[in-house]
Amino acid sequence: MQHPTYDTAKIRSEFPSLDRDVNKHHLIYLDNAATSQTPRRVVSAIEEMYLRHKANVHRGVHTLSQEATDLQEATRRRVRDYINARSEREIIFTRGATESINLVASSFGGEFPEGGEIILTVMEHHANIVPWQLLQKRRGLKLRVVDINERGELDLTQYASFFNERTVMAAFCHISNVLGTVNPVKEMVATAHSHGVPVLVDGCQAAPHLKMDMQDLGCDFYTFSSHKMYGPTGIGVLYGREELLEKMPPYQGGGEMIDHVSFSGTTFAELPFKFEAGTPDFVGIAALAKAIEFMETTGLERMARHETELLRLAEERLRAEVPGIRIFGNAREKAPVLSFLIGDNHPYDVGMLLDGLGIAVRTGHHCAQPLMERLDIPGTVRASFAAYNTESEVNDFVAGVARIAAMLG
Ligand code: PMP
């Protein structure tokens, strides 16, 4: 199953955090959709920033400040190339995908007309629901929610039927963090644009697995968080089309985002700085470049192929060996996210018993309560795979679930 060019042992050697015991078992980390582990080169970059280049960016003429600024701006260009944006002016650093979506809802949505309609989907993370609900209250808007079929794929006929002259925005995830469904983003963007409606894509779960190509997808806004793609915590990227960002008012005010401040009137900085108020996490931003380097050198396609094989193995074996297993999400195109229940057993019980075996999975509603309501379940157990997971870990995980199933009955 292992491809000759894909060496998990070599990849794992870059992740010291994987090499530890939990509850007297060797750790098996399968909570990657919540956050991935961090390769040594990213941690070393953070250390290097603190030990050598720690100076505030953009405001200094001195050497350290210039170095820190150069490193931050080098990451911006790297992200631009990585996601095939047209310009670095389209790359805004935020605190995470959550902040990015709040920024768009607040700034871009601030002038939406009363009665305007926003199209969301039932599989959204709360981060792509609540900011729109806050705006809905402020602007008197209506939210329309696209349903899923029994495989966990979006109902694209319903999606297309929701567009009308009142539609002001469509916002949906690239990949569901619960079902693993990969949505046909390019097609969905084209549908929205044929009605003149702008689109925001929540790419959090796509960033660690898929090539993100802004010019190919054609979306207006796209966002992801660094910590899910082997990078530091506390940093997100918001991509926005330059012509839209240019017209949008600032989200937060403060230092860094201004051109000139006076009590008689303030002017704002050029893009992307207009949207980056205050001192950014320049340490983490500099280190994000190393996470991108890790993914590029490992090879995104090879990583994805490996992860998909682990997903298929886990699904096949769970179905064959665990009576009462219920897998949620059987989309034709699926990312390595496996949500399941054992009969009617509560996900927390299963998760705690797996932790006793040193296996880290996520349990609960995964910040997707509307989806849980739609599926009529309290939550799921979710195992999610990353570049460093192995076939042997999957086998141990399945054996663990089978043991727990037998125990719980
Ligand atoms: N959207 C999706 C699909 C996610 O999986 C997550 C993280 N669980 C988020 C948004 C929010 O990301 P963050 O907490 O990093 O802002």
Side-chain angles (χ1 to χ4, degrees):
M1 168 166 162
Q2 186 101 273
H3 302 283
T5 46
Y6 197 85
D7 184 351
T8 37
K10 183 159 168 273
I11 293 170
R12 290 177 75 84
S13 69
E14 264 219 65
F15 290 84
S17 60
L18 294 171
D19 195 15
R20 59 163 286 186
D21 287 352
V22 168
N23 296 323
K24 300 200 174 83
H25 295 269
H26 199 264
L27 168 68
I28 297 180
Y29 186 80
L30 302 179
D31 192 17
N32 296 289
T35 197
S36 59
Q37 295 300 315
T38 312
R40 199 189 297 274
R41 71 181 91 183
V42 171
V43 180
S44 300
I46 293 170
E47 188 181 5
E48 173 84 1
M49 283 300 282
Y50 276 114
L51 298 184
R52 278 190 67 78
H53 311 290
K54 176 100 189 295
N56 210 330
V57 287
H58 293 309
R59 282 189 287 250
V61 291
H62 66 83
T63 302
L64 258 61
S65 175
Q66 303 251 332
E67 286 172 0
T69 305
D70 288 349
L71 284 158
Q72 170 172 295
E73 294 311 309
T75 300
R76 201 187 303 275
R77 289 190 296 278
R78 186 138 200 179
V79 171
R80 174 202 62 197
D81 295 344
Y82 189 63
I83 68 172
N84 194 26
R86 280 182 200 83
S87 154
E88 65 257 41
R89 291 161 60 83
E90 301 183 313
I91 308 297
I92 297 159
F93 290 119
T94 61
R95 284 191 301 119
T98 302
E99 186 177 58
S100 303
I101 300 171
N102 277 282
L103 187 162
V104 175
S106 181
S107 168
F108 187 67
E111 296 298 318
F112 283 167
E114 197 181 324
E117 296 183 3
I118 298 175
I119 300 177
L120 303 178
T121 88
V122 75
M123 65 168 73
E124 296 314 308
H125 186 281
H126 296 164
N128 199 26
I129 299 175
V130 185
W132 303 112
Q133 285 180 325
L134 296 175
L135 184 67
Q136 175 188 24
K137 277 217 162 134
R138 254 174 45 215
R139 308 291 314 165
L141 307 171
K142 182 174 168 190
L143 302 184
R144 306 201 68 180
V145 183
V146 181
D147 199 10
I148 48 172
N149 64 20
E150 70 290 345
R151 305 171 76 103
E153 297 163 330
L154 288 176
D155 180 344
L156 295 178
T157 309
Q158 186 188 46
Y159 169 73
S161 77
F162 278 173
F163 287 90
N164 61 43
E165 65 288 346
R166 292 180 300 282
T167 314
V168 287
M169 186 89 201
F172 46 81
C173 58
H174 198 156
I175 294 178
S176 158
N177 68 318
V178 176
L179 305 168
T181 310
V182 182
N183 290 321
V185 168
K186 192 172 172 179
E187 189 186 327
M188 292 172 75
V189 169
T191 303
H193 283 180
S194 73
H195 294 274
V197 172
V199 177
L200 175 139
V201 180
D202 170 0
C204 265
Q205 294 297 332
H209 308 295
L210 292 184
K211 169 81 188 132
M212 298 177 284
D213 186 329
M214 296 306 109
Q215 295 189 56
D216 182 52
L217 292 179
C219 55
D220 302 279
F221 301 100
Y222 193 100
T223 183
F224 50 94
S225 292
S226 149
H227 68 92
K228 292 183 197 284
M229 51 185 285
Y230 309 101
T233 59
I235 303 160
V237 170
L238 172 65
Y239 158 83
R241 278 205 300 120
E242 187 169 345
E243 59 181 281
L244 297 182
L245 293 176
E246 280 289 6
K247 292 188 201 129
M248 286 161 53
Y251 171 53
Q252 293 181 329
E256 310 270 358
M257 53 74 72
I258 52 86
D259 171 37
H260 180 77
V261 177
S262 149
F263 283 111
S264 60
T266 288
T267 51
F268 305 120
E270 294 277 299
L271 287 176
F273 309 109
K274 180 171 89 173
F275 291 106
E276 294 180 355
T279 300
D281 182 357
F282 56 87
V283 169
I285 292 169
L288 171 59
K290 291 288 172 188
I292 294 174
E293 181 191 272
F294 165 76
M295 292 199 290
E296 284 183 334
T297 51
T298 311
L300 202 55
E301 272 180 30
R302 288 190 302 137
M303 278 163 47
R305 202 182 316 126
H306 170 75
E307 293 157 354
T308 303
E309 282 175 359
L310 296 181
L311 173 74
R312 295 291 168 230
L313 175 68
E315 285 183 336
E316 268 170 44
R317 286 203 53 193
L318 284 176
R319 283 205 174 94
E321 295 168 38
V322 183
I325 194 86
R326 299 157 68 195
I327 294 177
F328 298 91
N330 296 295
R332 277 157 287 204
E333 242 202 287
K334 187 172 168 181
V337 172
L338 204 183
S339 270
F340 67 96
L341 288 174
I342 306 172
D344 289 329
N345 289 295
H346 200 280
Y348 290 155
D349 295 336
V350 179
M352 273 170 56
L353 290 165
L354 281 170
D355 184 57
L357 301 172
I359 302 171
V361 292
R362 186 129 304 233
T363 53
H365 54 63
H366 314 297
C367 296
Q369 283 180 328
L371 178 60
M372 297 301 130
E373 201 178 306
R374 167 68 177 79
L375 298 170
D376 198 20
I377 51 175
T380 73
V381 184
R382 184 186 70 187
S384 48
F385 307 102
Y388 40 67
N389 289 123
T390 65
E391 193 178 334
S392 135
E393 287 182 318
V394 169
N395 289 333
D396 289 349
F397 160 68
V398 173
V401 175
R403 254 176 76 187
I404 290 164
M407 206 163 94
L408 293 173

